Amino acid sequence: MLTVLTALCVALPGKSPAENNPRPTASIAATTTPNGYTQKWWKEAVVYQVYPRSFKDSNGDGIGDLPGITSKLDYLQNLGVNVIWLSPHYDSPNADNGYDIRDYRKVMKEFGTMDDFDALLKGIKQRHMRLIIDLVVNHTSDEHRWFVESRSSKDNPYRDYYIWRPGKPGAISPEGGIELPPNNDPSFFFGSAWQKDPATNEYYLHFFAVKQPDLNWDNPKVRNEVYDLMKFWLDKGVDGFRMDVIPLISKDQTFPELTPEQLQRPDIVYAHGPHRDEYLQEMNRSVMAKYDVMTVGEALGISLDETPLIVDERRHELNMIFDFATVRINRQGRHWKDWTLPALKAVYDKQDAALDIHSWNTVFLSNHDNPRLVSAFGDDSAANRVPSAKLLATMLFTLKGTPFVYQGDELAMTNYPFQRIEDFDDIEVKNGYKTEVLTGKITAADYIADLRKTSRDNARTPMQWDATTYAGFTTGAKPWLAVNPNYTQINAKEELADPNSVYHYYQKMIALRSKSPALIYGDYKDLDPTNPTSSPTGERSAARSILSSSTSQVRPEPTPSPKA
Ligand code: ISL
Ligand code: CA
């Protein structure tokens, strides 16, 4: 489906945003736009998400790594992005590709060493870019030292770093009593969120995989450990954090049974623990207030109306969140659902209405947990892939909020043609196969047909750098996850050589946005909210509708040609 962008950006007189990649200065921090926004470097940034495992392998072991990223910094600088978000780079047994952390102060050995991290950070700073890292502190790996201690005995000093409960008596059968988990909380990765641990015969809570036990944020020692590790990385010079499932940190520790209705959307229940805002404010006072950083929370379970609770600057919690209403517009539960353009535009309208000058938004339609941008929100057919990717870029870079580009979307990389369960790596897919297919609830063919559209692995196939073996991602025998077979046509080398490529369109749009106060801070209005589709000329007219409303006051030189 092609989308029509119908934004009107009111141009703002006054200071243009600092040049690409500004260093923070007092004057920027103090400047207010005519429509009332406080100017901040992170509002003016364009963020690029790197999923290290799939970006670039430097040593031929088939796994992307930090030196690989460093070797591609010129590529990113050339694109014009100025903040890099690095998905987890910490020591991990990789039950969930690094979102299960074993040691927060160590680099994953497959990705390199701390020296490699320092070299990456230095390369980023030399290019006047910034780095934010993933902060995954709702849970750790079960191999984290704290959990190894915690599970060893009920009186271990680390016992209360995690959430332990005895089982509950269930129905009595002729063979005797049945024990049930402490309550019916489900895990996002299928099954119960409670796992019985043989060492002490109690259950620990894990909202995600069995190997991802949830930390007990009600323990002040846990909170201080987290604040210390945040400072460890900030003192190295990182510029902030993307915070994994951050609304989930506070739990209702009475653990009531969820109602059938609540079981449809457990994320909403989990995101509404009693101390969420209190802990985020404490984190802000203890850490963020002492540095010039950017924070963006993954706001699983938070509705649009509640967004200001977390991002209103007067509440001193986080700068921005990822609101799921947009990326989940194509889902019914876990399954694919067709979506309409007016419905998506209605979300953008609602976001605009929910946030005032004290709050700031993110703009994103893809990341490492979602299918490819052009496949999910555009049309990845041979005829329409390029124009629809450009149209989506036009939309993403002109909406109000800090845009996030996921690696490969600047090339219009597409979903992978998955055929068999063996083609997948994702733990969520594998757990789902056991729970849904092996129990006969659905057929393997239906399961895989749905995953072809929804699977997180669509986004995790290796970056397509060139047309050589394995797309130039690795020189090794095999990449950790298969390369999309379309790499001979869709790759960075081809696109860098083609002035009309999607890559160059992104480059022009990013440059235009970075230099246009109107596109960053200007007011937003949807001029055509009910238009369900576009004509083949939609791209041109959409581009004009934005540009014509802003070019009168903004220097026009970087305007992308509508034909670009
Ligand atoms: O992508 C999802 C399911 O397909 C989401 O439910 C996802 O699990 C949720 O958005 C939380 O995501 C984050 O935390 C997870 C990790 O697996 C994801 O990669 C991460 O982005 C647990 O740390
Ligand atoms: Ca490697």
Side-chain angles (χ1 to χ4, degrees), residues 51 85 96-97 99-100 134 136 138-139 188-189 208-209 212 242 244-245 248 298 300 324 328 331 334 367-370 426-428 454-456 460:
Y51 194 68
W85 152 24
D96 187 21
N97 284 354
Y99 283 89
D100 49 320
D134 225 301
V136 188
N138 172 68
H139 45 269
F188 290 109
F189 291 163
F208 293 89
Q212 290 169 301
R242 175 268 185 185
D244 194 62
V245 294
L248 272 46
E298 189 201 21
L300 194 62
F324 273 57
R328 286 290 171 267
R331 300 299 165 87
R334 295 176 193 274
N367 60 26
H368 65 293
D369 290 334
N370 286 286
D426 187 0
I427 182 167
E428 185 182 8
T454 60
S455 169
R456 313 197 292 178
R460 299 176 180 185

Side-chain angles (χ1 to χ4, degrees), residues 458-491:
N458 282 305
R460 299 176 180 185
T461 63
M463 265 293 274
Q464 294 166 205
W465 293 107
D466 58 39
T468 64
T469 320
Y470 300 135
F473 164 72
T474 181
T475 54
K478 206 171 163 228
W480 73 277
L481 188 65
V483 173
N484 194 310
N486 62 22
Y487 74 94
T488 48
Q489 291 92 51
I490 303 174
N491 64 65

